[in-house]
Amino acid sequence: MSDQKKTFRSAAWFGRDDKDSFVHRGWMRNQGFPDHVFDGRPVIGICNTWSELTPCNAHLRSIAEHVKRGVWEAGGLPLEFPVMSLGESTLRPTAMLFRNLVSMDVEESIRGNPIDGVVLLCGCDKTTVSLVMGAASCDVPAIVVSGGPMLNGKYRGKEIGSGTDLWRFSEELKAGAMSQLEFREAETCMSRSAGSCMTMGTASTMANMVEALGIALPQNAAIPAVDSRRGVLAHMSGRRIVEMVHEGLTLSKILTRSAFENAIRVNGAIGGSTNAVIHLLAIAGRIGVPLALDDWDRIGRNVPTLVDLMPSGRFLMEDYYYAGGLPAVIRALDAHELLHSNALTVTGKAIGENCKDAPNWDEEVIRRFDNPLVKQGGMAILRGNLAPDGAVLKPSAASPDLMCHRGRAVVFNTIEQYKERIMDPDLDVDEDSILVLQNCGPKGYPGMAEVGNMGLPPKVLARGIKDMVRISDARMSGTAYGTVVLHVCPEAAAGGPLALVQEGDFIELDVEARSLHLDVSDAELARRRASWKQAPLPLTGGYQQMYVQHVMQASEGADLDFLVGCRGTTVKREAH
Ligand code: FES
């Protein structure tokens, strides 16, 4: 580094000769730091979501050590710090309830400490999003290092994917096609190594998204967690963040409108999770880039799904890495003029430049444009009298024969009511019915749980039916599939028309026309609205109460209204 004399933010803590610097430096020395590390070098925070309660991130302490090697090597001072971790498979009622809370933890930890640049260590779904949201609100130099996916699951000689095969096994168990013993055996075969879900679920999707946005090094998304090259990537990220601090390469220089448009197209090409819609809207809100729900449809509509991964396709993340990973996909998009190739990335180079020679070693896994998995990937944003502010459906995970469907509503007012009624052999339902779930949105659940892909009634499953149209204000796991309309806005608990649907109403879904229509007259809907009473919101005190009072709708990213925007790194008061 040539410009060691540059003064960084951390100098306000470590670079003075007064009582305050005595405190700031002196107490740090108890960790064995010698005097020369306080010579004005960049201080790099390593924001770690390691936790044994977040199995997908349980290996991040060792990844942090690789990052530190790179930081030291490049002349920085690495300081690792923990933030709240969100384990998707463990945390109740839903990790999404705490995404915004963690983003506050990250934002205030960065701003309040002598941090010049930050490495964000994440993996499980929300950990990636909350860390990027928090760092974006500070606008510091930042680089994401994902923990990487688990090795492929293996069950009785076949590959099985996180989540995706669980949904299948669970339906087979319900239909009597799988025994309890086999179900338990499959459980032991799914998660074979450190890392996150190895399907194209939300964790993999978001790892691809940060790479597509340009805030992670190429190949961040796909290198398996236990592949030694994951350590190399972490090491190189540690080196690079120090250089980024010297270059003043902050997040807002990378997270531009072009970067978000690239990410939307990449999401279509990889068959990414519907959750990415909400998460990218929230990140854009933090960094101040205008992004709307309809951009997802408009920008992503003509992008074919090239990556043949579960839940939309056949393969898993390990295969994706060996085939070439995201750089191969980005190169293909660029070749078809579906990329802003000049968008800047953390490498200091444009994304097109990063990927211009990326090979595709397996055209079964990363398919060619003339042989896509789905011709029109991306997200369908539906509107109509049932979703005036929009709803989301992922065509690549849906059944083609249900994309235009009219059916009679079977309505569940809460998820508890769904669980009670769905097993009932007398439930008046058949494969043409439409399952409707209310009160599972951001305010109603609260936290907008991943319950939108409601399991089918056993009596329908028993007839060999695998999919039905399902509609809710909830989300669904990125590992799930089906003709599932999600994120209906406004949600039922906020008085959206979804709250007015009654058992037996007819609903029309037309994905091609992007419409979702409740076939009930305006006069009747007005009558129902007049007698609709809002269920008391779950105001139980503490963080959850603040969340319910301030959370925005899914179409706006479900952030807390007072957290939107970038507040920078200035600390108003410096003294203790
Ligand atoms: Fe953590 Fe899927 S449960 S990534």
Side-chain angles (χ1 to χ4, degrees):
M1 295 304 143
S2 57
D3 53 350
Q4 274 291 318
K5 289 201 187 72
K6 214 167 182 176
T7 302
F8 303 115
R9 181 172 181 266
S10 56
W13 281 259
F14 299 145
R16 304 196 315 228
D17 290 317
D18 56 10
K19 182 197 79 179
D20 283 349
S21 274
F22 182 112
V23 172
H24 299 313
R25 284 189 305 260
W27 264 254
M28 278 283 168
R29 290 180 198 274
N30 78 348
Q31 298 179 77
F33 289 122
D35 195 57
H36 70 266
V37 305
F38 303 111
D39 59 1
R41 65 184 64 201
V43 176
I44 305 301
I46 302 175
C47 178
N48 202 340
T49 49
W50 166 85
S51 167
E52 289 178 345
L53 289 168
T54 305
C56 313
N57 295 17
H59 62 303
L60 290 185
R61 295 299 309 278
S62 63
I63 298 283
E65 292 308 315
H66 289 280
V67 174
K68 285 179 193 171
R69 288 185 201 170
V71 173
W72 283 120
E73 191 178 273
L77 167 59
L79 295 172
E80 185 183 351
F81 65 97
V83 289
M84 182 182 180
S85 189
L86 305 175
E88 202 67 35
S89 58
T90 313
L91 200 56
R92 292 182 176 177
T94 167
M96 183 63 171
L97 178 62
F98 306 107
R99 184 198 69 179
N100 303 333
L101 177 64
V102 176
S103 78
M104 282 197 272
D105 184 350
V106 174
E107 177 185 343
E108 302 302 340
S109 294
I110 293 172
R111 185 179 298 115
N113 280 299
I115 289 173
D116 299 311
V118 65
V119 178
L120 307 172
L121 294 192
C122 47
C124 201
D125 307 14
K126 311 300 178 298
T127 57
T128 303
V129 193
S130 50
L131 267 51
V132 175
M133 287 168 73
S137 280
C138 294
D139 194 19
V140 283
I143 190 164
V144 178
V145 176
S146 303
M150 289 186 268
L151 297 176
N152 293 357
K154 302 269 184 191
Y155 171 64
R156 298 193 169 181
K158 292 212 171 75
E159 309 250 296
I160 55 169
S162 317
T164 304
D165 279 297
L166 166 61
W167 314 130
R168 186 169 61 80
F169 292 149
S170 143
E171 300 285 62
E172 285 179 8
L173 185 71
K174 262 200 273 176
M178 191 176 200
S179 73
Q180 192 59 249
L181 216 61
E182 288 166 328
F183 192 63
R184 190 68 175 246
E185 184 192 337
E187 178 188 317
T188 65
C189 300
M190 194 168 271
S191 305
R192 299 193 303 120
S193 78
S196 48
C197 291
M198 83 310 266
T199 40
M200 190 56 82
T202 305
S204 299
T205 299
M206 292 316 299
N208 275 278
M209 290 293 91
V210 291
E211 193 177 325
L213 286 166
I215 56 175
L217 290 182
Q219 293 297 9
N220 171 70
I223 302 172
V226 295
D227 191 309
S228 56
R229 288 165 286 188
R230 175 64 54 188
V232 175
L233 181 124
H235 185 122
M236 298 311 288
S237 300
R239 279 181 62 103
R240 185 59 200 142
I241 188 68
V242 177
E243 294 168 2
M244 287 169 65
V245 171
H246 282 282
E247 293 162 9
L249 185 51
T250 54
L251 273 176
S252 61
K253 293 181 180 151
I254 299 173
L255 291 176
T256 58
R257 169 81 189 184
S258 294
F260 282 96
E261 293 192 0
N262 281 345
I264 288 173
R265 290 200 175 110
V266 162
N267 190 272
I270 63 173
S273 161
T274 47
N275 285 320
V277 177
I278 299 182
H279 296 329
L280 258 60
L281 289 170
I283 294 168
R286 292 298 185 96
I287 203 73
V289 168
L291 191 70
L293 181 63
D294 290 319
D295 287 333
W296 278 87
D297 205 321
R298 196 175 51 75
I299 295 163
R301 194 167 197 166
N302 292 320
V303 179
T305 301
L306 304 175
V307 177
D308 192 346
L309 251 62
M310 295 182 199
S312 300
R314 297 170 292 165
F315 299 100
L316 294 166
M317 287 298 283
E318 228 188 303
D319 312 305
Y320 178 45
Y321 177 53
Y322 304 145
L326 184 58
V329 178
I330 287 175
R331 182 183 179 186
L333 289 174
D334 200 10
H336 290 81
E337 296 183 350
L338 287 169
L339 187 82
H340 297 292
S341 57
N342 57 355
L344 186 61
T345 72
V346 286
T347 64
K349 295 191 206 135
I351 194 163
E353 175 72 13
N354 287 345
C355 304
K356 69 179 189 326
D357 298 319
N360 180 352
W361 301 112
D362 190 338
E363 292 184 348
E364 287 236 359
V365 179
I366 302 174
R367 296 166 71 146
R368 295 167 55 91
F369 256 70
D370 54 11
N371 181 32
L373 181 67
V374 181
K375 268 205 180 113
Q376 287 203 335
M379 298 294 164
I381 305 302
L382 311 168
R383 287 186 189 265
N385 68 345
L386 189 49
D389 293 341
V392 175
L393 178 137
K394 179 175 162 183
S396 64
S399 302
D401 57 320
L402 288 174
M403 300 284 258
C404 187
H405 182 79
R406 177 182 159 86
R408 199 170 45 84
V410 178
V411 182
F412 309 99
N413 189 240
T414 61
I415 188 65
E416 290 75 22
Q417 198 188 73
Y418 159 80
K419 285 179 183 161
E420 264 168 43
R421 293 181 64 207
I422 199 69
M423 304 300 282
D424 182 354
D426 295 328
L427 182 68
D428 185 12
V429 65
D430 63 27
E431 54 267 42
D432 293 327
S433 306
I434 293 182
L435 306 182
V436 175
L437 177 62
Q438 301 163 324
N439 295 307
C440 288
K443 288 179 190 293
Y445 190 79
M448 204 182 178
E450 292 184 332
V451 293
N453 58 315
M454 294 162 265
L456 307 193
K459 64 197 264 190
V460 173
L461 286 171
R463 287 204 294 280
I465 306 297
K466 298 251 185 292
D467 194 12
M468 290 171 67
V469 174
R470 290 154 271 178
I471 299 173
S472 74
D473 45 13
R475 297 177 302 119
M476 81 170 174
S477 163
T479 62
Y481 48 85
T483 312
V484 187
V485 178
L486 301 153
H487 315 176
V488 168
C489 287
E491 64 176 301
L498 185 69
L500 308 180
V501 183
Q502 292 182 358
E503 193 99 353
D505 287 348
F506 274 90
I507 295 175
E508 291 159 5
L509 166 70
D510 185 344
V511 179
E512 183 58 32
R514 299 299 195 254
S515 103
L516 185 64
H517 181 72
L518 176 61
D519 198 2
V520 173
S521 71
D522 290 347
E524 170 60 13
L525 285 176
R527 192 189 63 72
R528 290 184 193 177
R529 178 163 298 288
S531 59
W532 177 75
K533 282 199 183 55
Q534 186 177 31
L537 290 173
L539 300 178
T540 51
Y543 167 74
Q544 294 201 20
Q545 177 157 329
M546 182 174 79
Y547 176 90
V548 169
Q549 287 172 333
H550 290 279
V551 71
M552 304 191 303
Q553 290 294 285
S555 54
E556 302 166 310
D559 202 354
L560 301 185
D561 50 14
F562 60 86
L563 290 175
V564 174
C566 176
R567 288 165 281 281
T569 53
T570 305
V571 182
K572 296 282 186 289
R573 293 205 169 93
E574 289 182 10
H576 278 75

